[in-house]
Amino acid sequence: MPVEEKFEQLRTFYKQILPTLTTEGWAFTESLLSVRQVKKREFIVRQGAVCNHISFVNKGLVKMSYMTEDKEKIISFCNEGNYISDYHSFLTRKPSMLYIQALEDTELVETQYDNLQLLYKKVPEANLLGRLIAEQLFIMMSESDMTAKQETLETRYLLLIKDQPWLLQRVPQYMIASYLGITPEAFSRIKARLVKQKVAA
Amino acid sequence: MPVEEKFEQLRTFYKQILPTLTTEGWAFTESLLSVRQVKKREFIVRQGAVCNHISFVNKGLVKMSYMTEDKEKIISFCNEGNYISDYHSFLTRKPSMLYIQALEDTELVETQYDNLQLLYKKVPEANLLGRLIAEQLFIMMSESDMTAKQETLETRYLLLIKDQPWLLQRVPQYMIASYLGITPEAFSRIKARLVKQKVAA
DNA sequence: ATCTGCCATTAACCCAAATCAAGAATACAG
DNA sequence: CTGTATTCTTGATTTGGGTTAATGGCAGAT
């Protein structure tokens, strides 16, 4: 695959949130991007280190998590076509509390912090882009937040089946359980309960 | 109090996140602001309606909440010197899932959606401001998120006593309980437990 | 093919918080 | 000041998920 094609997905993404992006603007933006290949199990962000990049997933699957008392809690999964980053650490330049790790061999398109600051300086419309990205990330975060709050465990599981069925294929169940905020045992019970309900109906 | 003094607090706030804001820029920004008085118990945002404004609290106290199965769950309180808005609804122009309601007679400085779009068009540096506000809100949201996740109930209560002691004076305890994510009964017991511990120590 | 280690399920028991149910304390209107 | 309503506390009971432990399935390594 030629290098320039590696930015195709990201370009489509940008075009969606900023249709007025000029060819020159995009050309300069593209010059600041870099492609990175990470192997399964490799870390993209580690707890304790400042997150220096926003990463767009071209191909593959990653998880975002944190540790409490030696237990891993998964915050989210991120597959092709989405941004993943500890944006908090990225913005504040403070050490990350999180881990981001590849669950499959993954291809990322990365925007480095310093390059983005350069972009803001050089290309005036970049602040507009920066605003839109920040707003976009805010929207995504508050949406996942609301689903987490609104629904019961069972509803959230059913939602997951409906909205992200690929997760069930690509991710072991103990990770789904952690993502839902319960133990694998409890997750197993819920599934058994749902099967019994379906049989009864 | 003269009208222009009503923007003093907000101006201080803006100067902090954007020290380079020019006098003209501020003058134009100010021309797009409006002051609004709301009575205790009055709603600032209602579930089902699009949130058309970002509100800066000049004086008073408001709460942000949502309903699940006829139970109210409080997300946050907001007092003098802070912004309150359903920023998600504001950005996406979709109906809000939330309620924002005054707990005391409150004075707000409001930025209307249409005015803000006008500002972005007329004042180039406003996109920078918009980016910084979005980033700021993202940072605040993810920080409250992390504390909520990391800490135990008791720790969160002790944190609240330390960081927002005024809440305990101004807000009934069943609201604090809802904010902490437990029933008033459980909250009462936690307090009793802490008192007993303190006596024992 | 067998061994090994990881993952999923199931059961028994435990515990923190929810729920249900009275009271006690406080605030508030007339 | 009195009566009413709201808020807070305390107790009894229930419940959902955690913990521990045993079992079975399956995949990859040798």
Side-chain angles (χ1 to χ4, degrees):
Chain A
M1 161 152 65
V3 172
E4 66 270 16
E5 281 189 20
K6 300 210 166 165
F7 300 136
E8 261 324 282
Q9 278 194 79
L10 185 55
R11 187 158 171 275
T12 309
F13 183 91
Y14 273 33
K15 273 295 194 182
Q16 272 171 23
I17 62 173
L18 186 55
T20 63
L21 182 67
T22 62
T23 313
E24 301 80 40
W26 171 252
F28 186 67
T29 306
E30 197 169 280
S31 76
L32 301 176
L33 302 175
S34 57
V35 173
R36 178 174 162 205
Q37 308 287 342
V38 296
K39 287 270 168 215
K40 182 173 178 173
R41 270 183 278 277
E42 195 176 323
F43 285 96
I44 297 156
V45 174
R46 285 191 127 83
Q47 196 258 80
V50 173
C51 175
N52 278 316
H53 42 75
I54 307 179
S55 308
F56 181 84
V57 177
N58 249 354
K59 200 177 82 59
L61 179 62
V62 306
K63 70 165 201 280
M64 189 183 226
S65 62
Y66 63 96
M67 302 295 291
T68 346
E69 297 144 26
D70 85 347
K71 289 240 168 61
E72 181 185 33
K73 304 227 174 173
I74 294 178
I75 297 170
S76 64
F77 300 98
C78 176
N79 67 344
E80 297 85 2
N82 295 295
Y83 262 122
I84 185 82
S85 166
D86 180 355
Y87 198 49
H88 179 271
S89 166
F90 182 85
L91 291 175
T92 61
R93 317 306 298 144
K94 290 184 192 161
S96 176
M97 316 280 290
L98 308 176
Y99 294 91
I100 299 177
Q101 188 183 17
L103 296 177
E104 303 172 1
D105 291 355
T106 295
E107 178 177 282
L108 303 171
V109 177
E110 294 198 335
T111 308
Q112 297 295 323
Y113 183 84
D114 292 339
N115 281 344
L116 187 60
Q117 301 311 312
L118 186 64
L119 180 67
Y120 287 148
K121 265 195 177 166
K122 289 278 176 73
V123 183
E125 67 184 330
N127 273 309
L128 174 54
L129 183 67
R131 171 167 74 80
L132 293 173
I133 288 178
E135 288 179 356
Q136 197 64 34
L137 289 172
F138 184 93
I139 290 168
M140 283 163 55
M141 185 179 189
S142 51
E143 277 176 6
S144 76
D145 224 59
M146 275 315 278
T147 9
K149 276 173 178 158
Q150 286 281 9
E151 317 294 348
T152 67
L153 232 52
E154 283 194 21
T155 320
R156 284 183 63 206
Y157 173 50
L158 293 171
L159 252 168
L160 188 147
I161 292 174
K162 191 161 69 70
D163 294 342
Q164 299 159 286
W166 49 270
L167 263 187
L168 300 168
Q169 306 306 317
R170 292 167 79 175
V171 166
Q173 306 207 9
Y174 72 93
M175 287 193 190
I176 308 269
S178 168
Y179 175 59
L180 292 173
I182 53 176
T183 59
E185 292 90 337
F187 182 52
S188 207
R189 280 189 282 237
I190 286 173
K191 284 196 304 175
R193 214 155 64 212
L194 285 173
V195 169
K196 209 190 284 177
Q197 276 175 26
K198 197 175 266 179
V199 170
Chain B
M1 160 154 68
V3 172
E4 65 271 17
E5 283 188 20
K6 301 207 165 166
F7 301 135
E8 261 325 283
Q9 278 193 81
L10 185 55
R11 189 158 170 274
T12 309
F13 183 91
Y14 272 33
K15 272 295 191 182
Q16 272 171 22
I17 62 173
L18 186 56
T20 62
L21 182 68
T22 63
T23 312
E24 301 78 40
W26 171 251
F28 185 67
T29 305
E30 197 170 280
S31 76
L32 300 176
L33 301 174
S34 58
V35 173
R36 178 173 162 206
Q37 307 289 341
V38 297
K39 286 273 168 209
K40 182 174 177 171
R41 270 182 276 278
E42 195 175 323
F43 286 96
I44 296 156
V45 173
R46 285 190 126 82
Q47 194 258 80
V50 172
C51 175
N52 279 314
H53 41 74
I54 306 177
S55 308
F56 181 84
V57 177
N58 249 354
K59 199 176 80 62
L61 179 62
V62 307
K63 71 165 199 283
M64 189 184 227
S65 62
Y66 64 95
M67 302 295 292
T68 346
E69 299 146 24
D70 85 346
K71 288 236 168 61
E72 181 184 34
K73 303 225 175 172
I74 294 177
I75 298 170
S76 63
F77 300 98
C78 175
N79 68 344
E80 297 83 2
N82 295 295
Y83 262 121
I84 186 82
S85 169
D86 180 355
Y87 198 48
H88 179 270
S89 165
F90 182 85
L91 291 175
T92 61
R93 315 309 295 146
K94 289 184 191 163
S96 177
M97 314 281 290
L98 308 176
Y99 294 92
I100 299 178
Q101 189 183 19
L103 296 176
E104 303 172 359
D105 292 353
T106 295
E107 179 177 282
L108 303 171
V109 177
E110 295 199 332
T111 308
Q112 297 297 320
Y113 183 83
D114 293 339
N115 281 343
L116 187 60
Q117 302 311 314
L118 187 62
L119 179 66
Y120 286 147
K121 267 197 175 163
K122 289 280 177 69
V123 183
E125 67 185 329
N127 275 308
L128 174 55
L129 183 67
R131 171 166 73 82
L132 293 174
I133 288 178
E135 289 179 356
Q136 198 63 35
L137 288 172
F138 185 95
I139 290 168
M140 282 163 56
M141 188 177 186
S142 51
E143 276 176 6
S144 77
D145 226 58
M146 276 315 278
T147 7
K149 277 172 178 159
Q150 288 281 10
E151 315 293 350
T152 69
L153 227 56
E154 282 194 24
T155 319
R156 286 182 61 207
Y157 173 50
L158 293 171
L159 252 169
L160 188 147
I161 293 174
K162 191 162 69 69
D163 294 342
Q164 299 158 289
W166 49 269
L167 263 187
L168 299 167
Q169 307 306 316
R170 292 166 78 175
V171 166
Q173 308 207 7
Y174 72 91
M175 288 193 189
I176 309 268
S178 168
Y179 175 59
L180 292 174
I182 52 176
T183 58
E185 292 92 331
F187 182 55
S188 198
R189 280 188 265 258
I190 286 174
K191 284 195 305 173
R193 213 156 65 213
L194 285 174
V195 168
K196 209 190 282 176
Q197 276 175 26
K198 196 175 266 178
V199 169

